[in-house]
Amino acid sequence: MGRFQHLVNVLGIIAVLVCLVFWGCAGPKPKPGEVFPCAVDSKIEKTIAPEVELTDFSCVLKNWEGSDTLHFNVAVKNISDQPQRYRVNIFLDNGKAVGGLIPRKTSKGLVAPGQTAAFEYPVSGMDCGPKSIVLMVKTMNQ
């Protein structure tokens, strides 16, 4: 009887591990092309500069480098009276991080007062949303 109980325990542990691997996305895997919330609002820590309004922060799966990859959609509106450039940093619970500048290049100018600019940040190796996020948007001194 002891060996049978041991076998049942081992099979139970294996079943739990398999479930954890398949349900790593904390829910059903999103469909490619469909925009979805990146994480539950209570699991997104935001630090946003006073000169900017975050108008979009969403996720979508898109093909990137041959596979469906998580992309962060970030749109910001300049609510100051001066043209601005923004640094965006997105830190994920699994240790990955992405980010960059909006606008990426300044040859066409900065984000004018009242204007909105957007960028899409792919996250290599991820095909579902993270459980928690730290989002930072800062202004750049030009």
Side-chain angles (χ1 to χ4, degrees), residues 12-114:
I13 291 171
I14 291 172
V16 167
L17 291 175
V18 167
C19 289
L20 289 174
V21 168
F22 286 111
W23 291 331
C25 292
K29 184 177 175 183
K31 295 178 184 172
E34 284 186 11
V35 176
F36 60 94
C38 297
V40 179
D41 281 341
S42 63
K43 296 290 184 176
I44 302 175
E45 180 184 329
K46 297 177 185 174
T47 305
I48 310 294
E51 299 88 357
V52 64
E53 176 185 335
L54 186 66
T55 59
D56 182 29
F57 184 65
S58 59
C59 287
V60 65
L61 281 184
K62 288 186 174 183
N63 191 302
W64 187 67
E65 295 186 349
S67 64
D68 288 337
T69 302
L70 177 70
H71 287 68
F72 286 102
N73 298 319
V74 179
V76 293
K77 181 177 181 179
N78 183 352
I79 58 173
S80 74
D81 58 357
Q82 299 290 319
Q84 299 285 342
R85 188 176 196 195
Y86 304 102
R87 172 166 298 283
V88 176
N89 296 104
I90 304 168
F91 301 99
L92 310 181
D93 59 341
N94 63 1
K96 291 186 179 248
V98 294
L101 300 172
I102 297 178
R104 196 168 67 83
K105 296 181 179 182
T106 59
S107 59
K108 294 183 181 178
L110 303 175
V111 181

Side-chain angles (χ1 to χ4, degrees), residues 103-126:
R104 196 168 67 83
K105 296 181 179 182
T106 59
S107 59
K108 294 183 181 178
L110 303 175
V111 181
Q115 295 297 306
T116 300
F119 198 77
E120 195 172 83
Y121 301 99
V123 185
S124 177
M126 288 190 68

